[in-house]
Amino acid sequence: MIRFIFLSSFVILFLILSMPLMFIEWIIGKFNMDVKNKSSLAVVNWAFRCCLRITGVNLTVIGEDNVPLDTPVFYVGNHRSYFDILLTYTRVPRPTGYVAKKEMEKIPLLNIWMRNLHCLFLDRENVKEGLKTILTAIDKVKSGISICIFPEGTRNKVPDTFLPFHEGSFKVAEKSGCPIVPMVINNSADIYEDHFPRIKKTHVVLEYLPPVYIADLPKEDKKRTGALILDQIKEKYFSNKEKYFPG
């Protein structure tokens, strides 16, 4: 419980004390958006790293050299924990917008930082609004911003299982031509969700698989890109589970 209290206190204090920074970031954005993107990324990366230190998580990262550095990418991964966002965001080499559920837009102060980071808010109940979000994501990628989404559509609460990947999500990569970088996350729910409300010091493995370019796929696979990527993630997930978390 002590880690939970420390983490909650840090998040609240950061959001309150960073209000002047939000104003500074707004001013910077009026003159140089590239500088604002980099400074917002640095500030939030620092905050996320502090959060992860409080949790005591031991993160093993594999295959980070699979992430192209000269182009924006479309990250996709399995999703069992709120901490998946912190674990993966602290590794991004360029400004990256995450696709979050619409409800996150209502959280004061946090929503400002999320907008600064080019996060997009997806209304899962409204198909028309969902399409607008995908189109906005495509524009973001074309402007040099990477996008990350967890295509299961929600946090999966059942260990060692996977929800189907929503194929519509992959339109971002198809229409922008950017590479898809699959992320495989093992054991992240052991930080918090598997024993709510206690935060536990634990080991998490994050692996980046080689990038996938939809244009290079056979015609029959282009129609099932989500299923193809999910199969890759499943295979590596169980391989890493056997290697790092036996028994």
Side-chain angles (χ1 to χ4, degrees):
M1 258 328 259
I2 293 177
R3 291 181 189 275
F4 178 81
I5 293 170
F6 281 172
L7 181 61
S8 300
S9 300
F10 174 81
V11 171
I12 293 170
L13 284 172
F14 170 75
L15 290 175
I16 293 173
L17 297 178
S18 68
M19 290 175 69
L21 277 177
M22 295 177 187
F23 179 66
I24 293 171
E25 292 290 283
W26 177 78
I27 294 175
I28 293 173
K30 292 293 183 181
F31 295 95
N32 193 320
M33 185 57 69
D34 187 52
V35 172
K36 177 186 177 182
N37 287 339
K38 292 177 181 178
S39 59
S40 292
L41 176 64
V43 169
V44 174
N45 261 336
W46 173 83
F48 280 178
R49 289 181 190 278
C50 289
C51 290
L52 293 176
R53 287 192 194 100
I54 293 171
T55 68
V57 65
N58 173 25
L59 177 63
T60 296
V61 181
I62 307 166
E64 205 160 16
D65 55 343
N66 284 321
V67 180
L69 300 179
D70 58 347
T71 182
V73 305
F74 183 58
Y75 297 99
V76 297
N78 57 304
H79 187 33
R80 284 213 61 231
S81 172
Y82 293 117
F83 284 94
D84 293 336
I85 298 163
L86 281 69
L87 292 163
T88 57
Y89 201 89
T90 54
R91 314 303 305 188
V92 299
R94 65 164 59 225
T96 301
Y98 277 54
V99 178
K101 58 184 179 181
K102 187 73 174 177
E103 291 77 6
M104 297 289 290
E105 194 173 16
K106 299 176 182 178
I107 302 177
L109 302 181
L110 177 62
N111 55 11
I112 297 175
W113 277 116
M114 292 182 73
R115 291 192 191 100
N116 284 348
L117 297 171
H118 301 277
C119 290
L120 303 173
F121 301 98
L122 179 64
D123 186 346
R124 292 174 291 188
E125 306 300 323
N126 188 319
V127 176
K128 185 177 180 180
E129 290 301 314
L131 178 59
K132 286 183 181 179
T133 301
I134 295 298
L135 293 175
T136 302
I138 293 169
D139 289 339
K140 292 280 187 187
V141 173
K142 289 181 177 179
S143 71
I145 305 296
S146 292
I147 292 292
C148 178
I149 192 170
F150 298 104
E152 289 172 286
T154 187
R155 190 168 46 84
N156 186 3
K157 299 177 182 179
V158 183
D160 299 334
T161 65
F162 301 83
L163 300 173
F165 278 7
H166 293 286
E167 294 289 344
S169 306
F170 292 85
K171 291 292 182 183
V172 175
E174 180 185 351
K175 298 299 183 182
S176 67
C178 75
I180 301 168
V181 176
M183 304 183 298
V184 186
I185 308 169
N186 282 79
N187 209 44
S188 60
D190 194 43
I191 299 174
Y192 176 64
E193 284 79 5
D194 285 349
H195 35 73
F196 170 87
R198 186 168 63 93
I199 289 177
K200 176 185 172 184
K201 185 176 181 179
T202 192
H203 179 209
V204 175
V205 175
L206 166 64
E207 180 161 2
Y208 296 91
L209 302 184
V212 175
Y213 294 83
I214 292 182
D216 295 339
L217 294 175
K219 186 176 180 179
E220 59 272 17
D221 286 339
K222 291 180 181 178
K223 298 178 181 179
R224 55 180 298 274
T225 306
L228 182 72
I229 300 294
L230 178 56
D231 287 343
Q232 293 182 9
I233 289 175
K234 279 183 181 179
E235 181 179 359
K236 183 55 67 173
Y237 174 91
F238 288 110
S239 172
N240 283 345
K241 179 181 169 123
E242 182 178 353
K243 180 177 180 180
Y244 294 98
F245 308 99

